[in-house]
Amino acid sequence: MEERGLDAEGFDRLLADRWSCRGFRTDEVPAEVLTDVAQAAQRTASWCNTQPWHTHLVTGTARAELAERLYASASSGAFSADLEMPSDYRGVYQERRRDAGYRLYAALGIAREDREARALQMLENYRFFGAPHVAIVTSDRNQGLYAHIDVGAYVANLMHAAFARGVASCPQAAIAMQSDVVREFLDLPEDRVVVCGVALGYADEDHPANRARMPRAEVGDALTFVTETP
Ligand SMILES: Cc1cc2nc3c(=O)[nH]c(=O)nc-3n(C[C@H](O)[C@H](O)[C@H](O)COP(=O)(O)O)c2cc1C
């Protein structure tokens, strides 16, 4: 590959340092910065360059109204999702999921057995953890699974492009679990599916939730070199 002077160190640091922010300041990110973030994420690779993602950047009074509707719906126990949600966590996946929950609740001082406090914390998703902006990211229904994979890569790029500009984020499948509310609010056509929300804003560094950091497995658990026919 031609030497392009790419900054591997900076890129790796970006990946290592980004975290899911669950406590935001109220001050808004300038629209130009949000546009730059979306512009950068436009470079995401996709199946046959189909670029199946779309972002509705919900902000201002629209954000307040959407939060209110989502919070009311989720509090009532309603659930609707355009995509199949994981339900069966086994083995190491269940362990990692539990560990992530423990780390977050420990940071917040919520006891494991305090179901009510955990449920209330879960509902904070629908206030976007206080973020002034939420990106609602949708995919194309008809192109199926690989389109959704492309959209996942786009979401990752969106978060890293934001972080590179000092903008914190939290990907939120919780938003996709209220897809009827989102669909109606945005008047989404039938061929779009809600993949997730991404809360965006400046991190409240003093918020206890932001003390939680999630570890990763060793690279050897996720990487196998194949040098001989297995
Ligand atoms: C597709 C996706 C959906 C997620 N949904 C939620 C969510 O609804 N609420 C939440 O608090 N975190 C959510 N997360 C954040 C994960 O819990 C987080 O990425 C994981 O624990 C690793 O932590 P880190 O992002 O801080 O490194 C989601 C992450 C992804 C990639």
Side-chain angles (χ1 to χ4, degrees):
M1 198 175 77
E2 192 191 339
E3 180 57 63
R4 299 278 304 275
L6 293 176
D7 183 359
E9 198 187 316
F11 185 72
D12 293 354
R13 189 151 24 91
L14 192 62
L15 289 173
D17 289 355
R18 183 214 54 85
W19 88 105
S20 293
C21 179
R22 297 185 182 87
F24 291 84
R25 305 198 318 245
T26 52
D27 43 326
E28 297 194 352
V29 180
E32 310 83 76
V33 177
L34 294 171
T35 305
D36 283 353
V37 167
Q39 170 83 64
Q42 278 297 104
R43 291 300 307 170
T44 302
S46 60
W47 185 289
C48 293
N49 202 23
T50 45
Q51 307 166 58
W53 49 81
H54 187 96
T55 291
H56 286 80
L57 211 303
V58 183
T59 190
T61 54
R63 175 240 175 259
E65 176 65 26
L66 178 60
E68 201 165 300
R69 290 195 204 177
L70 285 170
Y71 200 93
S73 175
S75 304
S76 77
F79 175 93
S80 53
D82 296 341
L83 300 178
E84 197 183 323
M85 292 288 152
S87 57
D88 188 16
Y89 297 87
R90 297 183 192 197
V92 72
Y93 305 118
Q94 176 69 316
E95 282 168 30
R96 290 173 186 162
R97 179 176 185 243
R98 281 214 182 103
D99 176 69
Y102 291 153
R103 283 170 188 271
L104 175 63
Y105 296 127
L108 286 162
I110 296 174
R112 285 180 195 194
E113 57 281 3
D114 192 345
R115 286 170 153 256
E116 198 185 327
R118 288 164 60 152
L120 281 173
Q121 173 58 28
M122 168 61 185
L123 283 172
E124 285 305 304
N125 271 288
Y126 301 107
R127 294 186 172 128
F128 320 124
F129 304 111
H133 317 282
V134 64
I136 303 292
V137 184
T138 64
S139 180
D140 183 77
R141 188 188 298 277
N142 301 316
Q143 304 199 48
L145 186 59
Y146 272 93
H148 309 335
I149 289 171
D150 297 339
V151 175
Y154 169 84
V155 168
N157 286 336
L158 201 67
M159 294 191 298
H160 290 108
F163 195 74
R165 291 164 174 81
V167 177
S169 65
C170 186
Q172 297 187 274
I175 307 299
M177 296 179 198
Q178 298 294 328
S179 72
D180 285 354
V181 176
V182 176
R183 301 191 72 81
E184 190 190 359
F185 185 80
L186 294 176
D187 195 19
L188 288 180
E190 204 31 52
D191 61 358
R192 302 306 297 173
V193 290
V194 180
V195 174
C196 65
V198 183
L200 289 163
Y202 297 114
D204 175 355
E205 303 287 349
D206 297 328
H207 196 289
N210 290 335
R211 289 202 283 264
R213 288 292 182 279
M214 305 304 165
R216 297 295 191 270
E218 295 297 325
V219 66
D221 289 357
L223 173 69
T224 306
F225 281 101
V226 181
T227 52
E228 289 170 15
T229 307

